[in-house]
Amino acid sequence: MNIIDYTGKINNHEEYIKILDKIKPICKYIEIVVIDGKENNELVDKFSEYIIDTKKVSKWWGNETSIVNNLYKIRASEEFFDYLKKYETFCKYYEYGTTKESLTRGDYSEITNFGYDDIAFYDEFDNYLLFTTTHEGNIAINDKILKGVI
């Protein structure tokens, strides 16, 4: 399994839905890290009955901070994925020169209606399928998802 950088590849709703549809059949659980020490977020509240585990973390998939954050492990379900589809995408990332604004700003990320919190999707073997560092606009994906192997 190789995790590859997918930053900037799902900047629109159509690509976001395609990726969710590829992940959904093999996803067993999702982890959400509620950033900046907040107690919860909309997804956590909505799917509280699906929560498998909670813990305090300052380190998670490629991130480390001095602030303790809440991580929620949530069982995957059809309802959860249907609810995710209401969001535009997790985040948007623009490299220098890809937009008029990036010519003056350089590389930059844009928060969408999904918010700042990070999310990761796992299969039954605890392999990452996709994960985000949402507030930085970063997304990584399991290369097997893109190849259609899993």
Side-chain angles (χ1 to χ4, degrees):
M1 170 188 80
N2 290 319
I3 298 295
I4 60 171
D5 185 7
Y6 212 59
T7 299
K9 304 282 195 277
I10 52 178
N11 278 357
N12 65 60
H13 189 68
E14 183 179 302
E15 290 301 318
Y16 171 73
I17 296 299
K18 283 181 189 176
I19 291 297
L20 288 178
D21 286 344
K22 287 181 179 185
I23 292 170
K24 181 172 66 173
I26 53 175
C27 183
K28 295 302 177 201
Y29 66 93
I30 299 99
E31 289 183 340
I32 298 172
V33 176
V34 181
I35 303 297
D36 294 334
K38 295 181 301 192
E39 286 299 313
N40 53 21
N41 73 5
E42 179 184 343
L43 277 172
V44 171
D45 290 343
K46 176 84 174 158
F47 293 94
S48 60
E49 67 207 51
Y50 293 86
I51 294 175
I52 300 166
D53 193 18
T54 60
K55 58 184 168 181
K56 303 280 187 186
V57 297
S58 57
K59 186 176 183 180
W60 61 98
W61 53 90
N63 296 292
E64 190 168 357
T65 179
S66 60
I67 299 170
V68 175
N69 298 282
N70 292 304
L71 181 145
Y72 297 89
K73 184 176 180 180
I74 300 172
R75 180 176 48 85
S77 67
E78 186 82 26
E79 297 84 8
F80 188 89
F81 276 90
D82 286 346
Y83 195 80
L84 282 177
K85 291 180 179 183
K86 79 176 195 127
Y87 298 110
E88 179 184 3
T89 186
F90 297 118
C91 52
K92 296 179 180 181
Y93 186 85
Y94 302 98
E95 292 181 0
Y96 174 77
T98 58
T99 66
K100 185 178 180 180
E101 189 173 18
S102 72
L103 291 172
T104 56
R105 288 179 70 180
D107 293 358
Y108 70 98
S109 63
E110 182 180 311
I111 299 300
T112 68
N113 60 340
F114 181 77
Y116 287 89
D117 299 330
D118 294 346
I119 190 167
F121 300 83
Y122 297 85
D123 67 11
E124 64 184 318
F125 305 107
D126 300 325
N127 294 315
Y128 292 115
L129 301 173
L130 179 142
F131 61 87
T132 71
T133 306
T134 309
H135 62 285
E136 294 177 6
N138 298 326
I139 298 174
I141 193 166
N142 185 320
D143 68 337
K144 292 181 179 179
I145 297 291
L146 300 176
K147 294 175 185 174
V149 175
I150 56 174

